[in-house]
Amino acid sequence: MRKPPPFDSQYEAAGSLAERVAADGAYCVAAISAFSGDEGRSADEVFLEQNVRFQAHIADAAALDALQAELVFSLDRLTAEVSADLDSFRGLTLREKMAGWTSRQRMWRMYTERVREAPVIERLLELLTKSDALARLIGGQRASIIERHRAAERGLVDIVEQRRRLVDSIDIARLKMKELNAKALTTQGRIGVYGNRAHWEQMEAERRALKAEAEQISAGEHEMRDDSQRRERFIGLFQSFVDSLNGRIAACNVLLRKLMIDVEERLIIYQAQVDTDRPGMKMRIKPELFPDIAAPIGLFEKGMLVAQDLERRKSRADLEFIGRFPTYAEPLPETSGAPLIDTARRSFRFSLPFLRS
């Protein structure tokens, strides 16, 4: 099993990287929105500068997504560790068994006190706190990415539309040049054939005017062609940025879906481990205490979390997670497929050999 790095240090690193990615992303969106056809500097100079900034941002954003995936993975593994510790409480200690020889009630009271005094419940609450913080980080990223994606896509559409109009203007200019050159050639062919010298001089003047107009249109067509090619170059860069944002939105969706299902799993473990009917036990887990994972906690409060249904959804979420982040496609443990805690198991008192008649 791959051992994840410490959660707290990874979370702090992700928060710092998220701030830088947000600032660089804002620069990229502003560059797209401010793009125009007339630059003070050369097109090559501007493109090289922006290409470096855009590619660096795309790389940093991919690193941030990977870091957030690492955090989700870390919490999942910490949950597995808590589950393993809980398994150690399923059996009775020798002291509890000896107490059971004289009083079953005292035996189970000792067992219950031992479980409740164990730090496992506090670890589950700590996992929920970390889950809430991580959901806030990923959810905040998703919201800002969606806004940047809308602004960038809107700017990109405008640039593409401007280039389309340029291409249309270039086509019109070329047709006009062809028409003028054809007229000039026809006029040239008539000189010396029809009319007198005065007519020839007039036709020559007309030919020169047609050629001058054609050359003027040609110069404009050349400028438009250069502008169109420049826009095409930037469009490719801007499209890569928009595509990366779209991919990041999908990645955040996968991460949040897995994280929320994992939160449900932690709540089911908590629900199975403690007596939620005891005063104060449910009060420790309320939506207002964990606002960013309030949805699954709301289900927990209403008693609507079902382990059997969760197992199917978690399996699907894990497959989506691995599909998006193949780094975590590791062999499943031998106990795969079994719930982390068997909430439907019979009471120990009905399965221990020394209690059977």
Side-chain angles (χ1 to χ4, degrees):
M1 178 182 295
R2 177 180 175 182
K3 183 179 180 180
F7 179 90
D8 292 338
S9 60
Q10 289 289 89
Y11 182 83
E12 184 178 351
S16 299
L17 183 56
E19 292 179 2
R20 186 167 79 244
V21 167
D24 291 343
Y27 163 84
C28 294
V29 172
I32 295 175
S33 301
F35 182 83
S36 61
D38 49 356
E39 297 283 352
R41 296 177 296 166
S42 69
D44 288 342
E45 182 182 355
V46 174
F47 179 81
L48 289 175
E49 177 185 314
Q50 292 193 355
N51 184 59
V52 170
R53 294 287 298 270
F54 274 66
Q55 296 301 335
H57 168 75
I58 292 173
D60 285 344
L64 176 57
D65 290 345
L67 197 51
Q68 292 177 149
E70 184 77 39
L71 289 168
V72 173
F73 171 82
S74 297
L75 291 184
D76 200 9
R77 285 296 174 261
L78 289 172
T79 303
E81 292 176 8
V82 171
S83 176
D85 289 344
L86 286 176
D87 285 340
S88 67
F89 290 109
R90 292 189 177 184
L92 295 172
T93 64
L94 178 60
R95 182 168 172 267
E96 291 163 351
K97 291 178 180 179
M98 293 177 64
W101 294 339
T102 57
S103 172
R104 294 184 181 182
Q105 183 178 5
R106 182 167 179 268
M107 178 188 71
W108 290 113
R109 185 171 64 248
M110 291 172 61
Y111 169 80
T112 302
E113 290 174 356
R114 176 168 62 89
V115 171
R116 288 174 180 172
E117 291 174 1
V120 173
I121 301 304
E122 296 303 324
R123 288 169 63 190
L124 281 172
L125 293 174
E126 182 183 1
L127 278 176
L128 292 176
T129 300
K130 290 179 177 179
S131 299
D132 188 65
L134 183 53
R136 181 163 55 252
L137 175 63
I138 300 175
Q141 282 290 304
R142 182 180 182 277
S144 62
I145 294 169
I146 289 175
E147 288 302 316
R148 286 199 292 271
H149 181 269
R150 289 173 179 169
E153 191 172 49
R154 186 164 54 246
L156 179 59
V157 168
D158 290 341
I159 296 170
V160 171
E161 180 59 24
Q162 291 167 6
R163 181 177 179 274
R164 188 191 65 78
R165 289 196 294 267
L166 268 177
V167 172
D168 290 343
S169 297
I170 291 171
D171 290 340
I172 293 173
R174 287 174 176 172
L175 289 174
K176 185 65 175 176
M177 284 189 297
K178 184 177 180 181
E179 178 185 350
L180 291 172
N181 287 327
K183 286 182 178 181
L185 186 62
T186 301
T187 301
Q188 182 178 358
R190 295 174 61 188
I191 296 175
V193 178
Y194 301 101
N196 53 31
R197 187 176 185 85
H199 289 146
W200 298 344
E201 291 177 353
Q202 181 181 356
M203 286 188 288
E204 176 62 19
E206 291 176 359
R207 186 192 70 79
R208 289 178 179 178
L210 291 170
K211 293 295 292 183
E213 184 179 359
E215 289 173 359
Q216 183 179 5
I217 293 175
S218 177
E221 185 269 345
H222 184 74
E223 291 180 1
M224 288 188 293
R225 188 170 67 249
D226 288 345
D227 190 17
S228 175
Q229 292 173 349
R230 185 181 77 87
R231 289 175 182 274
E232 183 179 15
R233 194 180 186 188
F234 279 91
I235 285 171
L237 176 60
F238 297 160
Q239 184 65 59
S240 297
F241 173 69
V242 171
D243 290 343
S244 73
L245 293 177
N246 193 52
R248 292 200 65 208
I249 293 172
C252 286
N253 289 339
V254 170
L255 291 174
L256 284 174
R257 187 155 47 246
K258 173 171 172 54
L259 180 58
M260 290 303 168
I261 291 177
D262 288 350
V263 167
E264 289 186 33
E265 182 179 55
R266 287 153 204 155
L267 290 170
I268 287 178
I269 295 174
Y270 180 88
Q271 183 174 265
Q273 186 61 24
V274 304
D275 182 2
T276 53
D277 292 330
R278 288 179 59 207
M281 294 309 293
K282 275 197 172 182
M283 292 297 294
R284 303 182 72 180
I285 301 180
K286 297 186 70 65
E288 51 267 30
L289 298 178
F290 305 95
D292 293 281
I293 54 173
I297 290 179
L299 296 176
F300 167 75
E301 283 191 316
K302 297 174 182 176
M304 297 176 62
L305 294 180
V306 181
Q308 289 76 12
D309 174 66
L310 174 66
E311 184 179 350
R312 174 181 54 80
R313 291 187 293 112
K314 178 172 172 56
S315 176
R316 185 166 62 245
D318 286 345
L319 288 175
E320 290 179 356
F321 177 76
I322 291 172
R324 174 64 62 170
F325 303 98
T327 304
Y328 304 99
E330 58 184 18
L332 295 175
E334 295 180 0
T335 55
S336 175
L340 284 180
I341 186 166
D342 184 4
T343 58
R345 70 180 185 274
R346 293 181 300 170
S347 171
F348 291 119
R349 70 190 69 195
F350 299 116
S351 58
L352 293 174
F354 69 89
L355 291 178
R356 294 175 183 169
S357 56

